[in-house]
Amino acid sequence: MSINYQFILDTIGDEVQPLLSRGKVAAYIPQLSTVPLQQFGMAVYCLDGRVYTTGHAYEKFSLQSVTKLFALALAFAREGDAIWRRVGREPSGNPFNSLSQLEHERGIPRNPFINAGALVITDILAERYVQSDIALLQFVRTLAAEPALDFDRAVAASERETAHRNYAIAHLMKDFGNLHSAVDTVIDSYCRQCAITMTCVELAKAASFLAQHGTVPWNGKKILDASSAKRLNALMLTCGTYDAAGDFAYRVGLPAKSGVGGGIVAVVPGDLAVAVWSPGLDATGNSLAGTMALERFTTLTTRSIF
Ligand code: GLN
């Protein structure tokens, strides 16, 4: 059955309008609080190259934790299973920036998608690359076929100045011996990584290799083998939306990664990648309208992994 994606996206674009004023922008990074709330964009990138959009799908936004997906893919591709000696693969059931489990679990973060785990992945990349943030940016540029993608320096500086919690997490892990580079080096690199900006169209395209078993659909380049891509998708499903991962799986039923900039990217294996953006967040730090849009998307298309 052929699906009328354009009709479905337009329907969703209308349906989410009443939700746009309900969420809250991420004000703890001061620069992000300047983003107007009333925005919604969505883009579908099909493996055959078709693209469908609605709303502000060509507007740049701050990727924030969505970059954790690309950082993990790069580290996993380079280091393989060695990364699991330093970070776990279990949902945390705690907020993305929580410190509490780290003390009991001796500096080993639950998964690579909470801040603690992403800081370890940043450290792993810092050990391998002279400029790991640039290496990651290049990786994302290649995946999106967009050589002009960049960091937003004002957002990176704003996060860096207020990164007290991430500093606390990094110092605790350093004390447990699970951070090898200097804390400042890791935080600097992490804040720049989080400040990469992209549009929904670019993001859906960049994540499409995860829908095609680790191979970039438009140039055939193998980023991960099929087994590793499967594992990365599994982690997105169980950990990609933090302590809302259970509810997100229940409502949406797709592997996904969110960020406090209001972006979420999700994957329908064998079919497509879909990106949504709306800066108003719910209490767990996931885009409120974005989550609803993806829930409607899997309902209206009957495409999910379940
Ligand atoms: N840069 C943000 C932070 O470290 C990313 C958090 C997020 O998007 N959930 O707090």
Side-chain angles (χ1 to χ4, degrees):
M1 182 191 76
S2 103
I3 297 174
N4 190 339
Y5 285 112
Q6 192 56 58
F7 178 76
I8 289 173
L9 290 197
D10 289 338
T11 305
I12 293 170
D14 290 341
E15 285 180 0
V16 298
Q17 291 307 313
L19 299 178
L20 300 189
S21 50
R22 287 228 220 129
K24 290 198 169 54
V25 291
Y28 77 96
I29 299 175
Q31 194 67 22
L32 290 185
S33 66
T34 64
V35 178
L37 202 54
Q38 298 279 345
Q39 300 185 84
F40 172 81
M42 186 164 187
V44 169
Y45 186 89
C46 297
L47 293 183
D48 61 9
R50 281 174 299 144
V51 175
Y52 300 93
T53 67
T54 192
H56 300 98
Y58 291 92
E59 196 84 27
K60 296 267 188 199
F61 61 90
S62 191
L63 279 193
Q64 293 299 317
S65 284
V66 177
T67 59
K68 291 173 176 150
L69 173 61
F70 299 115
L72 176 62
L74 185 58
F76 199 24
R78 296 288 175 275
E79 309 292 333
D81 284 339
I83 65 173
W84 306 124
R85 287 201 285 270
R86 295 181 57 189
V87 59
R89 302 190 294 257
E90 290 294 341
S92 72
N94 276 308
F96 63 83
N97 56 3
S98 171
L99 277 143
S100 54
Q101 279 164 342
L102 263 189
E103 169 92 67
H104 304 298
E105 299 178 1
R106 309 199 57 77
I108 306 291
R110 275 288 173 102
N111 67 67
F113 291 148
I114 51 172
N115 286 10
L119 289 167
V120 168
I121 297 296
T122 303
D123 187 39
I124 289 171
L125 293 176
E127 290 178 282
R128 178 171 254 269
Y129 297 100
V130 181
Q131 282 188 291
S132 56
D133 50 343
I134 302 292
L136 181 67
L137 181 62
Q138 288 294 7
F139 180 58
V140 179
R141 283 173 174 164
T142 310
L143 290 176
E146 291 290 343
L149 287 181
D150 210 348
F151 312 112
D152 179 328
R153 282 160 181 78
V155 170
S158 176
E159 174 162 16
R160 174 83 170 63
E161 278 161 27
T162 52
H164 311 300
R165 206 166 244 280
N166 285 332
Y167 266 107
I169 291 171
H171 278 294
L172 189 56
M173 294 195 298
K174 185 86 180 161
D175 185 64
F176 279 114
N178 197 20
L179 212 65
H180 300 166
S181 315
V183 165
D184 277 328
T185 307
V186 174
I187 297 284
D188 276 353
S189 182
Y190 172 81
C191 290
R192 276 199 293 276
Q193 159 190 322
C194 288
I196 294 175
T197 61
M198 263 180 156
T199 69
C200 287
V201 175
E202 291 163 349
L203 177 57
K205 184 170 183 178
S208 62
F209 74 99
L210 288 167
Q212 185 148 286
H213 313 296
T215 298
V216 176
W218 46 271
N219 67 5
K221 188 164 185 257
K222 193 175 188 179
I223 304 296
L224 293 171
D225 60 46
S227 171
S228 301
K230 175 191 74 179
R231 296 178 197 289
L232 222 136
N233 282 334
L235 282 166
M236 287 165 77
L237 182 75
T238 52
C239 312
T241 46
Y242 324 113
D243 45 333
D247 192 56
F248 191 92
Y250 178 84
R251 289 175 57 192
V252 178
L254 292 178
K257 186 71 207 82
S258 61
V260 293
I264 310 176
V265 65
V267 168
V268 184
D271 236 341
L272 57 87
V274 50
V276 287
W277 170 61
S278 185
L281 307 179
D282 64 18
T284 58
N286 296 305
S287 173
L288 192 140
T291 303
M292 177 56 85
L294 289 171
E295 177 175 359
R296 293 296 291 145
F297 181 77
T298 53
T299 302
L300 294 172
T301 59
T302 68
R303 291 282 195 278
S304 90
I305 62 165
F306 298 110

